[in-house]
Amino acid sequence: LHNGLLASGGEKRVPGSFLRVRSDEIRPVVAKCLGRQRPAYDAIEHATTFIVASEVIRAGLSMNWPVIVDATNLTEEFRRWAYQPSEDLGAEVIVAFMQVTDEVAKGRLSERDRDGSAATFSVYMKLKYEMEPIDRCSKPYVVYESDCDMRPYAKELADWIAGNADTVPGLPTPSDA
């Protein structure tokens, strides 16, 4: 259910450096600015969270930083906030879809509960049925079954984002999907 966007726009990259933009870290700040104790996950907070995230992406790409966006975006329409800065600045984009079994998701979310996260298994189940088919993604994408060891996949993505590889293995274009 989870997906992330990787954007790489500059030729001058600092090895091992990247900007990670996490909607889970931005949302509580937005909630506080809206005068709330905790995120409410309503329309105004959602829109503001992703406007802020989009500008952070734009700033990172403008400084030639590779950017990793960590967010759940279930539809192509809701990924636009992440695509737009990349398109405006001519950055190359890969979307990584992370899929898990319900059992693994439940275990991971119960661990997050201890950290005070609002993401619960019931939220996961609701979102699961709102997700568009992956082949509707307009950008190049990879799909990972993230129940297993993710280190080999992380290395492939890191090599691409660092400029050490021209592509990511298994990367179909939208027309190939």
Side-chain angles (χ1 to χ4, degrees), residues 103-123:
E103 182 179 317
V104 169
K106 189 173 191 173
R108 289 180 182 169
L109 290 168
S110 68
E111 289 174 16
R112 287 184 70 188
D113 267 351
R114 288 178 268 165
D115 297 333
S117 173
T120 62
F121 187 67
S122 62
V123 169

Side-chain angles (χ1 to χ4, degrees), residues 77-146:
E77 176 186 349
F78 291 126
R79 288 187 285 274
R80 292 287 334 143
W81 66 270
Y83 293 165
Q84 196 61 55
S86 303
E87 290 171 0
D88 292 349
L89 296 166
E92 193 174 351
V93 171
I94 293 177
V95 177
F97 290 92
M98 313 302 268
Q99 296 181 320
V100 297
T101 62
D102 291 348
E103 182 179 317
V104 169
K106 189 173 191 173
R108 289 180 182 169
L109 290 168
S110 68
E111 289 174 16
R112 287 184 70 188
D113 267 351
R114 288 178 268 165
D115 297 333
S117 173
T120 62
F121 187 67
S122 62
V123 169
Y124 163 85
M125 291 303 289
K126 177 183 183 288
L127 295 177
K128 177 179 175 177
Y129 294 104
E130 293 176 8
M131 184 174 173
E132 283 180 346
I134 292 166
D135 63 0
R136 291 196 187 161
C137 185
S138 66
K139 302 293 181 193
Y141 63 87
V142 290
V143 178
Y144 296 122
E145 298 298 328
S146 64

